[in-house]
Amino acid sequence: MEITATKGQIIKGKPVADQISETLIKEVNELVKEGINPKLAILRVGANGSDLAYERGALKRCESTGIQTQVVELPEDVTQEEYVKTLKGLNEDTNINGILCFRPLPKQLDEEAIKYIIAPEKDVDSFSPINSAKVMEGDKTGFPPCTPTAVVEILKHYNVALSGSKVAVLGRSMVVGKPAAMLLLNENATVTICHSRTKDLAKVTSEADVLVAAVGRAKMVKEDFVKEGAVVIDVGINVDEEGKLCGDVDTDAVLDKVSMITPVPAGVGSVTTSILAKHVVKACKLQNNK
Amino acid sequence: MEITATKGQIIKGKPVADQISETLIKEVNELVKEGINPKLAILRVGANGSDLAYERGALKRCESTGIQTQVVELPEDVTQEEYVKTLKGLNEDTNINGILCFRPLPKQLDEEAIKYIIAPEKDVDSFSPINSAKVMEGDKTGFPPCTPTAVVEILKHYNVALSGSKVAVLGRSMVVGKPAAMLLLNENATVTICHSRTKDLAKVTSEADVLVAAVGRAKMVKEDFVKEGAVVIDVGINVDEEGKLCGDVDTDAVLDKVSMITPVPAGVGSVTTSILAKHVVKACKLQNNK
């Protein structure tokens, strides 16, 4: 279905998530028929609010698509030895196909060491350097981080042309900016990576057909940052001066100028757990040579 | 020393290589005094001309900086088992600090498997995915590929401002384009990655303060591809219609427009073996906790 890009169209994440879920339900059904039960393990230290909120969403998504789950909670003061032992247990457990480790880890844990321990083939949110390398190589057997993958899925769902088009990625984190740039490059976009040191930032981003904002600064993308008719994907989740959730883009200010823009909330964030579930099924299939 | 950028300055690789060598000689001397002898192993299959040419350059560079070397030549029809056994032997040999595996490997060898076998801490030319991931992360303990590292060294040697400047990388290979983009991003440049699918390519590259050409197409970068006063790094090594070596840039056509440009030959290619030697010394130091 070709979607006509009218001016200022708010493109929500839910239809994208729903479509992914629909496909996953069928795939999981097929696997279950063959006696294979895709399963995600979540490894969480302590119980902070944002981890718990994401976990609830992930568990709900898995349940609705037929993916089994197991949550392992470790105490806030867990030792490196205990964390590693638990993670290795999940690596070795053949019933588990995907592992999500909540990060950042508390200070007593050596994240730099732990990222080498998670089994790359179960690493559904790109904690392992092997998966970072695969993102850069464009190796489809890997697992890119869920958020930038959600960005690409949204763009594809709404039929945004990527091949040959100019994409600006604002932000260069390992969680969003850099992998988003690599994934969009794999879609044959001409990608510019902008950041805090970029000179004439608004001029640079306003030349892009597609702008992906992932800097974590409330409403910093104003009208002069966007090209007439551009598609804007707002990855930021911030709190504005009134205490309300908002993105990196000043949506009201750009709405009349852009062709499409994702809202915050109900945009990119609504798709990430679908990508997580999709990665669990992909991992399960790869592990079972499907 | 500030170098004044006059118009059309040809910037050669040799002064950069010489400066790196000078530093390395001192570093190697210090190590040798402590009884530590940095050593590079080269693993080569068969004896094709371009491998041998690069090998001669590498051996000469190592010799002149005091780095020991060992060349292992395997027959053209070597089996996977034999290659892996040899590579593992080099991994385990504590006298060897750096390993260079010539690639591409012959068809009977599974390069995708072998790249996971080379010890990342000895992998001085970024064969291992661990080093690809470190390039993307900006982790300074890793070993980026020698060629894009040479590009950055040349730019720094000639005092080209990178922070905040617009850099266009033409080409997206894992050997040059993508790692060059990541290394330049780490220098706080605003990086655009262009390629065969880029629309209005000349327009995009002509907006860059620095253009890195790495596509492998003889003289494809013409006058309209470059900005007035731009710095151009020509990574290509091609043969023109007269059978002469040339780069990706039509040097004669752009010379009056650019501020600086590397020649081909005698440009980037003259610096890569210095980077290789530098990586061997770095690997040696890391392995000895120096």
Side-chain angles (χ1 to χ4, degrees):
Chain A
M1 183 185 61
E2 189 74 31
I3 292 173
T4 312
T6 49
K7 268 287 161 68
Q9 192 190 347
I10 302 261
I11 50 173
K12 291 201 172 185
K14 191 169 181 300
V16 186
D18 287 348
Q19 191 176 303
I20 296 169
S21 286
E22 204 178 298
T23 308
L24 284 181
I25 288 167
K26 285 180 200 154
E27 288 184 21
V28 172
N29 261 334
E30 288 301 313
L31 289 166
V32 170
K33 269 186 211 161
E34 298 181 54
I36 299 166
N37 293 289
K39 185 171 180 179
L40 169 70
I42 294 178
L43 183 52
R44 171 164 50 77
V45 179
N48 85 58
S50 75
D51 286 358
L52 289 175
Y54 189 80
E55 185 177 294
R56 273 193 301 275
L59 294 177
K60 201 174 145 192
R61 182 75 63 189
C62 286
E63 194 189 356
S64 70
T65 47
I67 296 168
Q68 299 186 355
T69 53
Q70 175 184 339
V71 176
V72 182
E73 179 179 328
L74 293 172
E76 190 62 56
D77 63 352
V78 63
T79 62
Q80 177 82 2
E81 196 188 352
E82 186 61 29
Y83 188 96
V84 167
K85 194 181 143 200
T86 309
L87 181 55
K88 284 186 174 170
L90 297 173
N91 280 347
E92 285 155 20
D93 184 342
T94 52
N95 291 316
I96 287 168
N97 308 106
I99 303 170
L100 172 69
C101 295
F102 274 113
R103 289 165 280 157
L105 296 169
K107 280 178 187 161
Q108 78 275 16
L109 298 182
D110 182 356
E111 197 165 311
E112 283 300 299
I114 291 168
K115 72 183 183 184
Y116 286 99
I117 291 164
I118 186 169
E121 67 275 14
K122 293 190 177 184
D123 172 37
V124 286
D125 195 25
S126 210
F127 186 15
S128 163
I130 299 299
N131 281 313
S132 303
K134 287 187 173 185
V135 173
M136 192 166 163
E137 288 166 9
D139 181 335
K140 305 277 186 191
T141 67
F143 300 97
C146 292
T147 301
T149 310
V151 169
V152 177
E153 289 276 345
I154 291 169
L155 289 166
K156 287 185 172 176
H157 181 91
Y158 289 101
N159 294 308
V160 176
L162 291 172
S163 183
S165 67
K166 288 175 93 169
V167 176
V169 175
L170 182 50
R172 52 174 165 173
S173 72
M174 275 301 282
V175 187
V176 189
K178 287 180 188 175
M182 290 299 135
L183 292 174
L184 291 160
L185 191 61
N186 284 338
E187 299 295 331
N188 295 318
T190 300
V191 180
T192 300
I193 310 171
C194 316
H195 44 81
S196 54
R197 305 292 189 87
T198 295
K199 280 180 197 150
D200 301 324
L201 179 59
K203 188 173 176 297
V204 175
T205 59
S206 67
E207 285 168 1
D209 304 310
V210 176
L211 173 58
V212 178
V215 273
R217 286 180 58 192
K219 300 182 184 178
M220 78 162 279
V221 174
K222 305 286 184 192
E223 191 264 345
D224 57 329
F225 279 64
V226 299
K227 183 177 170 176
E228 188 83 36
V231 175
V232 179
I233 306 292
D234 191 353
V235 183
I237 300 180
N238 314 290
V239 176
D240 70 9
E241 59 274 17
E242 291 166 19
K244 279 170 62 183
L245 272 188
C246 72
D248 290 346
V249 182
D250 188 341
T251 311
D252 292 339
V254 307
L255 197 57
D256 287 343
K257 198 171 181 186
V258 302
S259 63
M260 300 191 235
I261 182 169
T262 58
V264 177
V268 177
S270 321
V271 183
T272 50
T273 57
S274 302
I275 303 297
L276 182 70
K278 190 174 172 173
H279 283 178
V280 176
V281 174
K282 178 183 168 184
C284 177
K285 285 181 163 184
L286 285 170
Q287 287 156 34
N288 288 282
N289 301 311
K290 295 284 167 190
Chain B
M1 183 185 60
E2 189 74 31
I3 292 173
T4 312
T6 49
K7 269 286 159 69
Q9 192 190 347
I10 301 260
I11 50 173
K12 290 200 172 187
K14 190 169 182 301
V16 186
D18 287 348
Q19 192 176 305
I20 295 169
S21 286
E22 205 178 299
T23 308
L24 284 181
I25 289 167
K26 285 179 200 154
E27 288 183 21
V28 172
N29 263 333
E30 288 300 314
L31 289 167
V32 171
K33 270 185 210 162
E34 298 180 54
I36 299 166
N37 293 288
K39 186 171 181 180
L40 169 70
I42 295 178
L43 183 51
R44 171 164 50 76
V45 179
N48 85 57
S50 75
D51 285 358
L52 289 174
Y54 188 81
E55 185 177 295
R56 274 193 300 275
L59 294 177
K60 202 174 146 191
R61 182 75 63 188
C62 286
E63 194 189 358
S64 70
T65 48
I67 295 168
Q68 298 186 353
T69 52
Q70 176 184 339
V71 176
V72 182
E73 179 179 329
L74 294 171
E76 190 63 55
D77 62 352
V78 62
T79 61
Q80 177 82 2
E81 196 188 351
E82 186 60 30
Y83 188 96
V84 167
K85 195 181 142 197
T86 309
L87 181 54
K88 284 185 174 171
L90 297 173
N91 280 347
E92 285 155 20
D93 184 342
T94 53
N95 291 316
I96 287 168
N97 309 105
I99 304 169
L100 173 69
C101 295
F102 274 113
R103 288 163 282 157
L105 297 169
K107 281 178 187 161
Q108 79 275 14
L109 298 181
D110 181 357
E111 199 166 308
E112 284 299 299
I114 291 168
K115 72 182 183 185
Y116 287 100
I117 291 165
I118 186 169
E121 68 275 15
K122 294 190 177 183
D123 171 37
V124 288
D125 194 25
S126 210
F127 186 14
S128 162
I130 299 299
N131 281 312
S132 303
K134 287 187 173 185
V135 173
M136 192 165 163
E137 288 166 9
D139 182 334
K140 305 277 185 192
T141 67
F143 300 97
C146 292
T147 301
T149 310
V151 168
V152 177
E153 290 275 345
I154 291 169
L155 289 166
K156 287 184 172 177
H157 181 91
Y158 289 102
N159 294 306
V160 176
L162 291 172
S163 183
S165 68
K166 288 175 92 167
V167 176
V169 175
L170 182 49
R172 53 175 164 171
S173 72
M174 274 301 283
V175 187
V176 189
K178 287 180 189 176
M182 289 298 135
L183 293 173
L184 292 160
L185 191 61
N186 283 337
E187 300 294 331
N188 294 319
T190 300
V191 180
T192 300
I193 310 171
C194 317
H195 44 81
S196 55
R197 305 291 187 88
T198 295
K199 279 181 198 151
D200 300 324
L201 179 59
K203 188 173 176 297
V204 174
T205 60
S206 67
E207 285 168 1
D209 305 310
V210 177
L211 173 59
V212 178
V215 272
R217 286 180 59 191
K219 299 183 184 177
M220 77 162 280
V221 174
K222 304 287 184 191
E223 190 265 345
D224 58 328
F225 280 64
V226 299
K227 182 178 171 175
E228 188 82 36
V231 175
V232 179
I233 306 292
D234 190 353
V235 184
I237 300 179
N238 315 290
V239 177
D240 70 8
E241 58 275 18
E242 292 165 18
K244 280 169 62 184
L245 271 188
C246 71
D248 290 347
V249 183
D250 187 341
T251 310
D252 292 339
V254 307
L255 197 57
D256 287 342
K257 198 171 180 187
V258 303
S259 63
M260 299 191 235
I261 182 168
T262 58
V264 177
V268 177
S270 320
V271 184
T272 50
T273 58
S274 302
I275 303 296
L276 182 70
K278 190 174 171 172
H279 283 177
V280 175
V281 174
K282 177 183 168 185
C284 177
K285 285 181 162 182
L286 285 170
Q287 286 157 35
N288 288 281
N289 301 312
K290 295 283 165 189

